[in-house]
Amino acid sequence: MFEYLRKFREHFPGRKFFQLIDKVYDMDNLKDAWKKAKSNKGCAGIDKQTINDFAKQSEQHLREIQRAVKNGMYKATPVLRKFIPKGENQLRALGIPPVKDRILQQATKNVIEQIFEMKFLDCSYGYRPNKSAHQAVKQIKKYVQQGFTWVIDADVKKFFDSVDHKLLMSFVAKEISDGKVLKLIESWLKAGVMNEGEMEETTVGTPQGGVISPLLANIYLHEMDIQIANIKSVRLVRYADDFVILCKTEGDAERTMKQVKEILTGLKLRLNKTKTKIVNVHWNSFEFLGFKLEGAFGKVFVTPGKKAIKRFKESIRRATWRKQPVKPENMIGRLNSVIRGWGNYFKIGNVKELFGILDGWIRTRARTFIEKRKSKFARMRISNYVLKTEYHLTSLMTLLKPHSL
């Protein structure tokens, strides 16, 4: 499908894409979307249908989705409002669509994502094929080493709650002329939210939790990317709604800050004044995607931020809580999952010393949990060797040395 879309763009560079709806409801595409939805798991929406429920009659459900879209009878279902922790004493609102909507959103994303990938700029790293947070952080490090040491550490205030529907649909319509696809996307934006049993209209914003929401965010902020890319002597690195702008002088940074405010105003967005700041990497550190970046001795050092370390320790404490009624082997299994996930994300930084310190602390937590369940007559201390060989406790340090695994 991508090859077809690419050739269309090559032959007709100025034309919009049309007749896409049939590619959206193509059964092979729906089946692929179902596989992705099933692998992502997730909870049920307001219809209370779980992934397992859908799987029992998946063929029939997929045909029903196909028929509804093909006949123009498909209706988006309101999303279920859920709240998850975000930092200290904060909650992030998620909108959970029902399984059928998640599948159709994925099927639509499979088609239109490839269209917009042909126009997105290289400065955008979030939720894109073959792009990652690691690449974004490494790119920032390169720019700093090239002399772009003045950084606008930006934060958009409530981005997902502020997306203007008319503007977003106009940006989508720049590339797509298929009215049925446009109507489908708009129906998800305006589907509404079920919050504690009460229905709320959604006249603005795009719900975090929807499969297609990250792509829509990139489409919306692509307009910002273009305008900032046209500013001379600055470099932009963006991951979804998190971005930094790097400049060579303080004057460039201050002028660019004013321009960015104007650009965001045109998109009906605002900077968070309390979280947006201008820093010089050699004097102050800044955080991006959980990493802390700071300059010293002519180099750029990348380490996990304080909040990231604190959250990691909280996760380790929960996994090694001594009063939980589980066997040591099960506790270690859960603990290893936390260690690998966090360690593999942050291992690209200057973390050797930190990982060594954390490993010692983790072993103490694990050892205390296991010894509490030993016989009161067993007084021998559990060695690091036993933790590694018999209990198979993962070490953060080994994640830095793949050959030693």
Side-chain angles (χ1 to χ4, degrees):
M1 189 184 297
F2 177 73
E3 189 64 20
Y4 162 79
L5 295 171
R6 186 183 63 80
K7 287 183 177 179
F8 180 91
R9 174 57 72 225
E10 287 179 355
H11 287 93
F12 308 103
R15 289 180 61 179
K16 297 182 181 182
F17 289 86
F18 58 94
Q19 282 189 310
L20 295 173
I21 194 66
D22 59 318
K23 297 168 182 60
V24 171
Y25 65 67
D26 176 81
M27 186 52 71
D28 287 338
N29 187 33
L30 289 174
K31 287 181 178 179
D32 179 70
W34 160 232
K35 286 181 182 178
K36 290 180 180 177
K38 185 165 58 173
S39 65
N40 291 335
K41 299 178 181 179
C43 63
I46 66 170
D47 61 356
K48 298 183 180 180
Q49 184 183 51
T50 65
I51 289 289
N52 289 336
D53 293 335
F54 192 96
K56 293 174 183 176
Q57 294 180 301
S58 60
E59 289 285 340
Q60 179 182 331
H61 292 315
L62 291 177
R63 284 195 296 270
E64 289 173 355
I65 293 172
Q66 183 187 52
R67 185 164 53 250
V69 177
K70 189 174 183 178
N71 296 336
M73 302 297 291
Y74 177 84
K75 289 185 178 180
T77 306
V79 299
L80 178 65
R81 176 65 53 80
K82 290 280 187 180
F83 292 94
I84 60 172
K86 178 188 176 184
E88 294 182 10
N89 303 319
Q90 289 184 314
L91 294 173
R92 171 180 289 158
L94 294 182
I96 311 299
V99 176
K100 68 179 183 70
D101 277 9
R102 298 209 291 268
I103 292 170
L104 189 54
Q105 285 187 24
Q106 181 65 57
T108 304
K109 179 174 178 283
N110 289 347
V111 176
I112 71 169
E113 180 178 50
Q114 300 172 52
I115 293 171
F116 288 96
E117 275 297 315
M118 289 186 277
K119 67 180 287 186
F120 286 159
L121 303 185
D122 290 338
C123 61
S124 170
Y125 291 87
Y127 307 106
R128 295 183 59 192
N130 303 314
K131 293 275 192 175
S132 69
H134 286 179
Q135 291 174 345
V137 172
K138 289 177 181 178
Q139 186 60 63
I140 292 174
K141 186 175 179 179
K142 286 181 182 178
Y143 285 147
V144 172
Q145 291 169 338
Q146 291 170 6
F148 294 87
T149 57
W150 287 93
V151 179
I152 300 173
D153 184 9
D155 184 86
V156 180
K157 190 172 183 178
K158 296 183 178 179
F159 169 74
F160 283 94
D161 296 332
S162 305
V163 170
D164 184 85
H165 290 175
K166 286 185 179 180
L167 275 178
L168 174 57
M169 292 310 302
S170 72
F171 299 151
V172 176
K174 284 183 178 181
E175 297 295 327
I176 297 172
S177 63
D178 190 322
K180 292 181 178 178
V181 172
L182 295 175
K183 184 179 178 181
L184 197 59
I185 295 170
E186 191 169 22
S187 71
W188 289 319
L189 294 174
K190 299 186 180 299
V193 175
M194 188 65 71
N195 188 12
E196 295 183 352
E198 293 189 10
M199 178 69 180
E200 298 177 3
E201 292 186 1
T202 47
T203 57
V204 68
T206 175
Q208 288 181 273
V211 176
I212 205 168
S213 291
L215 174 59
L216 296 180
N218 276 332
I219 293 171
Y220 199 84
L221 289 171
H222 173 69
E223 304 299 318
M224 180 193 75
D225 295 347
I226 294 172
Q227 295 183 61
I228 293 178
N230 289 329
I231 303 174
K232 293 181 180 180
S233 302
V234 305
R235 298 291 185 268
L236 168 68
V237 175
R238 181 175 65 80
Y239 191 96
D241 60 322
D242 291 327
F243 66 94
V244 294
I245 301 171
L246 299 98
C247 310
K248 287 195 171 182
T249 69
E250 185 177 12
D252 285 343
E254 290 174 347
R255 284 190 295 272
T256 302
M257 175 76 92
K258 293 178 182 178
Q259 290 175 278
V260 170
K261 288 178 181 177
E262 293 175 1
I263 292 169
L264 290 178
T265 299
L267 293 172
K268 299 187 179 182
L269 300 172
R270 291 180 298 163
L271 286 174
N272 189 325
K273 293 181 180 180
T274 59
K275 294 184 179 180
T276 300
K277 59 184 182 294
I278 296 175
V279 300
N280 186 296
V281 176
H282 294 306
W283 302 339
N284 303 100
S285 64
F286 71 96
E287 293 193 12
F288 184 68
L289 304 179
F291 290 90
K292 183 178 76 170
L293 294 92
E294 60 185 335
F297 310 110
K299 297 181 179 179
V300 182
F301 292 88
V302 179
T303 55
K306 288 183 179 180
K307 290 181 180 179
I309 296 173
K310 183 178 179 180
R311 285 194 291 267
F312 175 64
K313 285 189 169 183
E314 288 172 353
S315 297
I316 296 297
R317 289 189 182 97
R318 285 195 297 270
T320 57
W321 182 53
R322 281 177 286 178
K323 293 183 180 180
Q324 58 181 313
V326 297
K327 295 180 179 179
E329 293 80 6
N330 294 335
M331 182 277 292
I332 294 292
R334 296 175 186 175
L335 183 60
N336 284 344
S337 179
V338 175
I339 294 169
R340 291 192 189 102
W342 192 86
N344 281 323
Y345 182 74
F346 285 104
K347 69 180 181 181
I348 66 166
N350 307 93
V351 293
K352 188 174 182 180
E353 182 179 354
L354 173 65
F355 276 16
I357 294 170
L358 290 174
D359 272 341
W361 177 72
I362 291 169
R363 285 193 292 267
T364 298
R365 297 281 309 182
R367 188 180 287 117
T368 302
F369 180 96
I370 296 169
E371 289 179 346
K372 189 174 186 297
R373 283 155 177 75
K374 287 171 60 179
S375 166
K376 64 180 180 181
F377 299 107
R379 300 183 180 278
M380 290 184 64
R381 188 85 165 151
I382 299 175
S383 67
N384 292 345
Y385 179 78
V386 170
L387 287 174
K388 179 181 178 181
T389 58
E390 293 189 22
Y391 290 97
H392 306 291
L393 177 64
T394 294
S395 165
L396 285 167
M397 289 295 286
T398 60
L399 300 178
L400 301 177
K401 305 173 184 178
H403 61 273
S404 67
L405 295 178

